[in-house]
Amino acid sequence: MRKSMKMSKYNFIACDSENNLIVYNFLYGLKSLTKVMKKDAGKFRLLFLTDNEISAETCDMHTEVVDTLRKAGILVDADVDENILYDAKIFDEVYNNKLTLTIFPTGKCNFRCPYCFETPQHFSREDMTVEAQNALLKFVQKEIPNHKALRVAWFGGEPLVAPDIIKRLSNQFIKICDIRHIPYYAEMTTNGYLLNPDMFDMLYKLKVYQYMITIDGFKEQHDKQRFTLEGKGSYDVIINNLLRIRDSKQYKFARIRIRINMSNNFLKILDDFVYHLASLFADDPRFEFMFVPVVKFSGSDYSNSNLCNDNSEFFKRLFNNNVYKNKLCPENVFLNAIVRQPSCYAATKNSYVITPDLKVHKCNSHYDFDVNKIGNIDLKGNLSIDEAIHRRWYLTKRLIQKVPKSCIDCYYMPCCVIFDSGCPTSYLRANPEEISCPLKNEKQEKQIIDTILYAADKYPCIVITL
């Protein structure tokens, strides 16, 4: 005889326009999407939703359906503590056993963007010396036997100011991984100004496939915000570099994320720029797009009058733009309300940001934040960190602070940004008195329902018949 079972506490049930039941589990996400046809909805409610526990006899009578629902995470054994299942999922992410290094080959930059958060007092503006490079390689050689992959994110400053350092370190990283037969991944955040054909070809051969490049609107707007040390505009050079990549089909593994920083005056050009961006890149699946409101970081010289004061207005305009929705919007944006977003690298244990002087941070943005600097690497390649501070980054707020029982029992807990937004700084900086339940907002539950129904139309569903 089977065990008795129960419906998962993370389930949410909606009803579509044809009165079919759509069951969705926030812990297991899209793979849990289940549709109970209208003709079977009444029987499903009677069998599975009437009592807190589903008897062993009922499970025996509906073996196939029960097995299907159990596999989807909709049903769980009656004696299972689902908090443990949730914790296990979180720990799998935190301790993913990939060594992730965000490396500054240099702190120098060929731009002087007014909203930049990087200031000389926060990290070295020099190139990484050969001695420091050798120490970094020793560190990787010591650490890599304990990991199943190496992921390197090149950052700066502007990393392409120091291509020889990138080339030397990349070749050694690839050799270290090849010897141990483990994967090597590389990506880069660059302003794109130096990403000419020869540079891109070199980086591609070094397995740097993913890029983040910023364009701040049309030439007029962009050149006022992203200009060179000499005060020259950068728009034409960056666009031409991107168009050459677009037209070079041999780089099939390339993935270019274009980031658009939306300052206060961007609203005036938003629609026209969306059309322009789509005309250039939307037909190439290697390109994706990310619209981000400009905020003020400590150390930035950016004028408060240029900050994005009302995010809702920007995103309302974006989602009312059909070209954006149909051509530029990443699919995951539509699913934000119901799919737990991937955690930032800073939220994982084996992730470090390494500056040219071998100081070790967790976040590559918030350098003014006292707990961001966690240690250093010495010239022998030994990592020395303050683990008490380090734990505050990779053990989420939910795990290091007391959580109300009402939150623990809430169906929305796996996706709740209050306890795990994916960005550790959101809870490290948070004022507990300012935190409120997102479901208290009436619009949130409607958005959840609308998103579940959208997903049920867009993605494969498990179909239950009784």
Side-chain angles (χ1 to χ4, degrees):
M1 180 177 289
R2 287 173 172 267
K3 286 184 175 181
S4 58
M5 304 200 75
K6 62 184 177 183
M7 292 290 278
S8 169
K9 68 177 181 179
Y10 301 122
N11 290 343
F12 187 92
I13 299 176
C15 191
D16 68 14
S17 59
E18 297 177 354
N19 289 323
N20 303 309
L21 294 183
I22 308 298
V23 188
Y24 183 81
N25 185 279
F26 280 90
L27 183 62
Y28 290 93
L30 293 176
K31 69 179 183 180
S32 73
L33 267 173
T34 299
K35 180 182 291 188
V36 182
M37 306 309 292
K38 175 183 175 180
K39 66 182 181 64
D40 297 312
K43 188 173 182 181
F44 181 87
R45 290 182 184 277
L46 182 65
L47 289 173
F48 300 109
L49 302 180
T50 303
D51 299 318
N52 291 332
E53 188 171 310
I54 302 155
S55 69
E57 291 78 10
T58 298
C59 293
D60 278 337
M61 291 172 61
H62 301 279
T63 301
E64 186 175 342
V65 170
V66 168
D67 286 345
T68 299
L69 293 174
R70 185 178 188 177
K71 187 176 180 180
I74 303 297
L75 285 180
V76 296
D77 290 345
D79 58 356
V80 165
D81 181 351
E82 289 189 87
N83 297 322
I84 295 175
L85 298 181
Y86 181 25
D87 288 347
K89 190 176 183 69
I90 299 299
F91 278 107
D92 282 346
E93 291 183 8
V94 170
Y95 300 97
N96 62 26
N97 207 25
K98 293 178 183 177
L99 180 59
T100 300
L101 304 178
T102 299
I103 300 174
F104 288 63
T106 180
K108 298 175 183 177
C109 187
N110 54 341
F111 278 23
R112 279 298 177 266
C113 306
Y115 50 55
C116 184
F117 51 82
E118 296 181 351
T119 57
Q121 65 263 35
H122 291 139
F123 63 90
S124 171
R125 278 293 188 192
E126 301 305 313
D127 290 345
M128 184 177 286
T129 65
V130 173
E131 190 177 38
Q133 293 173 48
N134 292 337
L136 179 57
L137 290 170
K138 291 175 184 176
F139 163 70
V140 172
Q141 288 173 327
K142 290 179 180 182
E143 286 291 318
I144 208 64
N146 303 317
H147 298 87
K148 63 181 181 182
L150 172 62
R151 180 183 294 275
V152 169
W154 297 105
F155 204 75
E158 167 51 46
L160 294 184
V161 171
D164 291 342
I165 297 175
I166 294 171
K167 184 176 182 179
R168 179 175 183 254
L169 289 175
S170 294
N171 280 322
Q172 293 303 312
F173 291 150
I174 291 169
K175 286 180 182 178
I176 290 169
C177 290
D178 285 348
I179 288 171
R180 303 197 70 84
H181 304 289
I182 63 173
Y184 172 75
Y185 309 94
E187 58 193 67
M188 177 176 289
T189 298
T190 171
N191 58 40
Y193 193 79
L194 300 174
L195 200 61
N196 57 51
D198 289 341
M199 184 75 79
F200 189 80
D201 191 63
M202 180 196 80
L203 294 170
Y204 194 82
K205 290 174 181 176
L206 295 171
K207 300 187 179 183
V208 184
Y209 296 148
Q210 298 184 50
Y211 296 81
M212 171 83 81
I213 298 170
T214 298
I215 302 175
D216 280 2
F218 291 109
K219 176 179 172 65
E220 181 183 357
Q221 291 80 21
H222 177 97
D223 285 350
K224 288 179 181 178
Q225 299 190 154
R226 300 186 68 76
F227 45 83
T228 67
L229 281 170
E230 298 79 18
K232 295 180 181 179
S234 62
Y235 180 86
D236 290 335
V237 173
I238 296 170
I239 287 292
N240 286 333
N241 286 340
L242 291 173
L243 291 176
R244 280 192 289 263
I245 295 171
R246 182 199 66 183
D247 296 336
S248 302
K249 304 303 181 184
Q250 72 269 28
Y251 300 118
K252 61 181 180 179
F253 297 124
R255 294 294 179 270
I256 313 295
R257 175 175 289 183
I258 296 178
R259 174 182 173 126
I260 301 93
N261 289 327
M262 301 186 295
S263 55
N264 200 35
N265 58 8
F266 188 83
L267 200 59
K268 300 173 185 176
I269 64 163
L270 188 150
D271 291 319
D272 290 339
F273 186 64
V274 164
Y275 300 141
H276 177 65
L277 207 57
S279 70
L280 294 179
F281 302 110
D283 294 332
D284 190 329
R286 296 175 300 171
F287 287 80
E288 61 180 70
F289 310 89
M290 179 181 180
F291 288 78
V292 182
V294 173
V295 297
K296 188 175 181 64
F297 286 90
S298 176
S300 168
D301 295 327
Y302 208 51
S303 168
N304 287 331
S305 64
N306 290 326
L307 299 178
C308 181
N309 298 318
D310 185 1
N311 294 359
S312 62
E313 183 62 26
F314 280 87
F315 289 111
K316 180 179 178 182
R317 281 278 295 278
L318 271 177
F319 283 104
N320 284 333
N321 186 302
N322 287 327
V323 173
Y324 172 74
K325 287 194 294 185
N326 296 325
K327 292 189 174 183
L328 300 186
C329 184
E331 182 62 35
N332 62 355
V333 170
F334 292 114
L335 301 173
N336 277 349
I338 67 168
V339 175
R340 187 174 183 275
Q341 298 305 298
S343 292
C344 169
Y345 293 153
T348 61
K349 185 178 187 299
N350 301 307
S351 173
Y352 307 102
V353 176
I354 303 170
T355 53
D357 53 358
L358 300 183
K359 288 187 172 64
V360 178
H361 302 256
K362 283 299 284 185
C363 173
N364 62 6
S365 297
H366 296 270
Y367 296 103
D368 62 308
F369 198 15
D370 289 342
V371 298
N372 193 3
K373 184 178 180 300
I374 62 170
N376 67 281
I377 296 172
D378 67 24
L379 293 181
K380 293 182 179 180
N382 298 313
L383 173 65
S384 175
I385 59 175
D386 186 328
E387 188 58 35
I389 295 177
H390 190 203
R391 280 194 293 267
R392 294 177 63 185
W393 289 87
Y394 65 83
L395 292 180
T396 66
K397 180 175 183 178
R398 193 186 67 79
L399 296 176
I400 62 176
Q401 293 188 8
K402 185 176 181 180
V403 179
K405 187 175 186 304
S406 59
C407 294
I408 291 174
D409 292 336
C410 178
Y411 68 86
Y412 199 53
M413 184 69 177
C415 289
C416 183
V417 297
I418 298 303
F419 295 105
D420 190 2
S421 70
C423 173
T425 58
S426 66
Y427 55 80
L428 287 170
R429 288 184 182 273
N431 180 351
E433 295 179 359
E434 297 176 355
I435 293 174
S436 62
C437 173
L439 298 183
K440 288 182 179 179
N441 184 337
E442 293 180 0
K443 293 181 180 179
Q444 183 69 19
E445 185 164 317
K446 184 180 185 306
Q447 185 181 4
I448 288 170
I449 294 171
D450 289 345
T451 307
I452 289 173
L453 297 181
Y454 165 83
D457 283 337
K458 183 87 172 178
Y459 297 94
C461 285
I462 299 164
V463 178
I464 297 296
T465 56
L466 293 165

